[in-house]
Amino acid sequence: CRRAGSAAAARRSLGSPLVVRSHARDAWTFPQLEQVGRDVAYGWRQVTRAKLRSTAAIVSLALAVGACLTTFAVMDALLYRPLPIRDADQLYVMVRESHGADGPPRTFDGAEYPLFLRMRAATAGADLLGVSYAAQTDITYRGDQDIEKAYVQYVSGDLFARFGLRPAAGRLLTADDDRVAGAHAVAVVSEGYWTRRFQRDPAVLGRSIRVGATTFEIVGVVAAPFTGTEPGVGVDILLPAIMHPRADALGSTWMRLL
């Protein structure tokens, strides 16, 4: 009687013996892994039953994953990584707000060169740099028949020193190359363009190129990986901002302020 009472008390405390045995079995085995194994076996049977359909699904999935990875890699390289310059985390783009007469306020980052000069003269405690929008431009070598397209960007002369860039050949632009309008017809090319267009020929220094109506002399090559300040655009040729055809024009917002 005493033994029967103890068994009844144990059942009330622990529950059904069948449930207890099931919990004990789960403690000593791995039911989740067993379930995964059954799912894998079932999936494999389905794959082998419809091989053509399964192959098409697997290939489609692989292509989709590959496309996503490629897209992310390109976006990471072109948009998300900081510029390869010194103190990239301290670089900002200056934007302005315009209040239209018949529309909501809008922001834009364009500025004219005379405004840049006035703001730079009045700026204290920060370096103000000017860069044009990178644009594909006709470049002429030797004769008028030797014309090709290249990405050109006009930059203020002190940009290279402020960014901590170094030359792969020759020299880079300086502040002295950006003082008098029309008087500094010198150019720097990117290392990638030097390699692609001139096969890294040292004789590129001193060579003449014509951009628009102005003939420039190549004085240096900026070392990789710097290719301008436009994310996603590899600039080939960099020219002094003062040499821009609209450098003196008021209201011609062809440059950004950094």
Side-chain angles (χ1 to χ4, degrees):
C1 182
R2 190 179 302 126
R3 187 178 302 168
S6 299
R11 279 196 297 271
R12 287 195 299 268
S13 176
L14 299 177
S16 171
L18 182 61
V19 174
V20 173
R21 283 197 298 270
S22 177
H23 289 171
R25 177 181 175 276
D26 290 346
W28 289 99
T29 61
F30 300 95
Q32 291 84 1
L33 294 180
E34 293 178 0
Q35 183 62 43
V36 170
R38 288 193 292 269
D39 291 343
V40 170
Y42 175 77
W44 180 251
R45 287 196 300 271
Q46 297 302 314
V47 168
T48 55
R49 284 179 184 173
K51 295 181 180 180
L52 182 61
R53 185 170 57 191
S54 299
T55 301
I58 293 172
V59 170
S60 299
L61 182 61
L63 291 175
V65 172
C68 290
L69 292 176
T70 302
T71 301
F72 176 77
V74 172
M75 293 179 64
D76 177 61
L78 299 183
L79 302 177
Y80 299 142
R81 295 182 186 178
L83 290 176
I85 61 174
R86 183 178 60 202
D87 299 327
D89 59 328
Q90 299 179 24
L91 182 66
Y92 298 88
V93 178
M94 183 176 293
V95 297
R96 295 186 290 168
E97 187 174 89
S98 173
H99 294 271
D102 55 353
R106 64 184 184 93
T107 58
F108 63 101
D109 59 359
E112 59 267 27
Y113 191 71
L115 174 63
F116 162 67
L117 294 179
R118 294 197 300 272
M119 293 184 65
R120 185 173 62 177
T123 300
D127 296 315
L128 190 64
L129 307 172
V131 298
S132 73
Y133 302 96
Q136 201 171 33
T137 308
D138 287 332
I139 306 297
T140 305
Y141 294 93
R142 293 185 293 272
D144 291 339
Q145 303 303 317
D146 190 5
I147 301 177
E148 67 180 37
K149 294 283 189 180
Y151 278 97
V152 175
Q153 188 172 33
Y154 291 83
V155 301
S156 53
D158 54 348
L159 177 139
F160 295 91
R162 293 291 186 266
F163 283 1
L165 303 175
R166 59 182 181 83
R171 70 173 182 87
L172 303 181
L173 301 181
T174 67
D176 291 335
D177 296 316
D178 193 29
R179 295 191 185 280
V180 181
H184 306 283
V186 290
V188 168
V189 299
S190 69
E191 188 170 1
Y193 187 65
W194 180 41
T195 302
R196 183 174 65 255
R197 179 63 173 77
F198 302 101
Q199 291 73 52
R200 304 183 70 87
D201 184 2
V204 69
L205 301 179
R207 188 165 182 171
S208 296
I209 60 174
R210 193 165 80 240
V211 182
T214 305
T215 299
F216 293 83
E217 177 187 352
I218 298 176
V219 297
V221 179
V222 59
F226 182 77
T227 58
T229 61
E230 296 284 341
V233 178
V235 175
D236 303 312
I237 302 171
L238 298 111
L239 307 173
I242 195 70
M243 295 299 297
H244 194 279
R246 299 191 301 276
D248 294 333
L250 294 174
S252 180
T253 56
W254 54 267
M255 70 186 313
R256 286 190 179 98
L257 303 183
L258 307 179

